[in-house]
Amino acid sequence: EIVLTQSPGTLSLSPGERATLSCRASQSVSSSYLAWYQQKPGQAPRLLIDGASNRATGIPDRFSGSGSGTDFTLTISRLEPEDFAVYYCQEYQSSAETFGQGTKVEIK
Amino acid sequence: QVQLVESGGGVVRPGTSLRLSCAASGFSFSSYGMHWVRQSPDRGLEWVAVTSNDGTHKYYADSVKGRFTISRDNSKNTLYLEMNSLRPEDTGLYYCAKGPRPYAHWGQGTLVTVSS
């Protein structure tokens, strides 16, 4: 099983600031099979990024993904009030996909 | 638009059974694989099971293999999850999600609580 470790656990930032979230895999993951989701309280996860760097339909361009191998990053260039949420990475290379434990982006 | 509506959750005793349903609309249900994913504070997001579009291929997480059964009725556009021998660690919010991975479409979830 591929273990995904996200850091930091919590990120305290102000609107307008840049957010950088990390996802580290226990073994190499093909970039084609790494995704990022956003989840707000009471809602299902929302797909942001697939294939490590491709924005999903309707996702603003302030969200970007990068990385390869075992290290992946989600960057939010300028935080908007609606971006404060929990973010998860997911690998779907293996038949039993796994998710990271999440990074909470909170208002400072 | 794609809509997925789960139902069937509840509070049950350990060792008992429960069947979840997911009613799908807004897309050609019989053309897509479908998944169950659960979420809990203790275990986070955890993939549970997948069925192929025609129901002939099914795969399970090790944690539920032999206890849970995924199935579908394409004539009713409905996905199911039969859960037997439930354990406290099965407690969580159960989502159905439309394939393929990654999941662009999720339901709102149905809550399962396993407690004595």
Side-chain angles (χ1 to χ4, degrees):
Chain A
E1 173 184 302
I2 298 175
V3 176
L4 299 178
T5 302
Q6 293 187 239
S7 61
T10 302
L11 201 49
S12 298
L13 295 168
S14 301
E17 290 194 292
R18 181 184 187 90
T20 303
L21 288 66
S22 173
C23 176
R24 179 161 291 178
S26 61
Q27 57 188 275
S28 186
V29 175
S30 166
S31 297
S32 300
Y33 301 109
L34 194 287
W36 289 91
Y37 296 85
Q38 175 194 69
Q39 188 176 33
K40 297 179 181 179
Q43 297 183 16
R46 173 194 180 197
L47 179 64
L48 298 176
I49 301 285
D50 65 57
S53 60
N54 305 310
R55 277 187 300 277
T57 302
I59 302 303
D61 60 7
R62 63 180 180 273
F63 291 92
S64 63
S66 63
S68 64
T70 60
D71 289 296
F72 297 88
T73 300
L74 174 70
T75 302
I76 311 171
S77 58
R78 288 177 56 86
L79 283 163
E80 297 288 340
E82 61 267 29
D83 299 336
F84 292 92
V86 180
Y87 292 83
Y88 296 94
C89 56
Q90 174 205 29
E91 66 78 19
Y92 47 104
Q93 170 175 289
S94 58
S95 57
E97 72 206 45
T98 55
F99 294 85
Q101 83 281 13
T103 290
K104 181 180 182 180
V105 179
E106 65 176 21
I107 300 176
K108 186 174 182 180
Chain B
Q1 71 282 18
V2 173
Q3 191 168 11
L4 300 168
V5 180
E6 302 93 337
S7 61
V11 180
V12 297
R13 303 289 194 196
T16 61
S17 301
L18 203 59
R19 188 175 86 154
L20 307 182
S21 300
C22 169
S25 61
F27 65 103
S28 177
F29 182 71
S30 62
S31 298
Y32 292 89
M34 294 292 296
H35 300 252
W36 286 100
V37 178
R38 65 186 180 185
Q39 185 172 29
S40 68
D42 291 345
R43 300 169 73 95
L45 284 162
E46 181 182 20
W47 172 79
V48 173
V50 59
T51 176
S52 59
N53 66 306
D54 60 1
T56 57
H57 296 94
K58 304 173 185 181
Y59 301 95
Y60 300 91
D62 287 344
S63 58
V64 307
K65 203 173 294 182
R67 300 187 298 122
F68 289 12
T69 301
I70 189 171
S71 63
R72 63 191 297 159
D73 185 336
N74 286 345
S75 69
K76 295 182 178 179
N77 288 350
T78 301
L79 175 72
Y80 302 100
L81 185 68
E82 184 76 37
M83 304 185 295
N84 297 319
S85 302
L86 281 161
R87 305 168 179 169
E89 56 263 36
D90 295 319
T91 293
L93 188 61
Y94 283 71
Y95 295 102
C96 63
K98 173 181 169 288
R101 298 164 169 153
Y103 309 122
H105 302 283
W106 303 63
Q108 86 290 347
T110 186
L111 184 61
V112 173
T113 304
V114 183
S115 175
S116 54

